[in-house]
Amino acid sequence: PQFLIIIINLKFKAMNFFENLFTKATPKKHTIFIVEDNETYANLLENFLLFHFPEIHTIKKFTSGEACLKELHQKPTVIIMDHLLNKNKSGAATGLTITKKMKTINPNLNIILLSAQTEIEVVSKTITKYGAIYIPKNDEAFNKIEEQIKQFVR
């Protein structure tokens, strides 16, 4: 009888193990892309995100939108991009231009466009035409980014 009880207990333990194995969702590993030509700002944002979102697996930083475009195959959870990238380099694409290209490649990308500009055209195109989120680059930017990212990673 004890042998039978041991076998039954082992059977239930094995069933529970396999049930848990297949029914419990494994936590998703999130990747965030930061596209920002100001290294100090990018580092501050990275540290802020790592502190507030321990579930973020990887943060990759890019100084140009073109470099970020080449890495879209990594399927980032969110892309946070400055609008005026490399403004001192002639011919450098703006964040809005890169957003348009990214949305052509993958319309489901979650893109947050940051800008110190308050041009209504930039804001309008970001939201309506390209389905991205516009956040002004000001004292509240990191808190607003946090609010948006919570929707994508949790």
Side-chain angles (χ1 to χ4, degrees):
Q2 276 187 325
F3 181 71
L4 187 57
I5 291 171
I6 291 171
I7 290 177
I8 290 172
N9 281 338
L10 287 173
K11 182 179 177 185
F12 280 116
K13 285 182 181 180
M15 286 173 50
N16 285 338
F17 170 78
F18 285 108
E19 182 179 334
N20 288 339
L21 182 68
F22 294 109
T23 59
K24 284 188 179 175
T26 55
K28 186 175 181 211
K29 294 184 176 183
H30 298 284
T31 299
I32 306 288
F33 284 2
I34 297 173
V35 187
E36 172 63 64
D37 56 346
N38 180 325
E39 186 179 350
T40 303
Y41 194 87
N43 289 335
L44 286 170
L45 182 55
E46 177 184 31
N47 289 327
F48 176 86
L49 293 172
L50 289 171
F51 178 78
H52 289 280
F53 297 98
E55 62 271 35
I56 292 176
H57 180 257
T58 305
I59 294 181
K60 295 207 170 207
K61 295 181 289 187
F62 305 91
T63 57
S64 74
E66 292 84 357
C68 182
L69 276 170
K70 294 176 184 174
E71 299 299 319
L72 285 183
H73 65 276
Q74 294 183 36
K75 298 184 174 148
T77 306
V78 181
I79 300 169
I80 303 167
M81 186 167 13
D82 184 21
H83 172 57
L84 289 178
L85 291 164
N86 300 305
K87 55 187 165 267
N88 296 331
K89 291 184 182 178
S90 65
T94 65
L96 196 57
T97 302
I98 297 297
T99 297
K100 179 181 177 183
K101 290 178 182 181
M102 288 178 173
K103 287 291 192 168
T104 301
I105 295 167
N106 181 352
N108 297 318
L109 283 172
N110 299 311
I111 300 173
I112 298 172
L113 193 68
L114 294 173
S115 182
Q117 284 194 337
T118 54
E119 282 184 37
I120 195 68
E121 183 182 349
V122 171
V123 176
S124 176
K125 280 186 180 179
T126 301
I127 296 167
T128 57
K129 196 169 183 180
Y130 303 120
I133 297 161
Y134 174 84
I135 294 180
K137 220 181 211 185
N138 59 26
D139 293 343
E140 290 296 313
F142 283 20
N143 292 330
K144 290 181 180 186
I145 290 169
E146 179 184 11
E147 290 171 20
Q148 292 300 319
I149 289 182
K150 280 180 184 176
Q151 297 177 30
F152 302 126
V153 301
R154 296 200 170 138

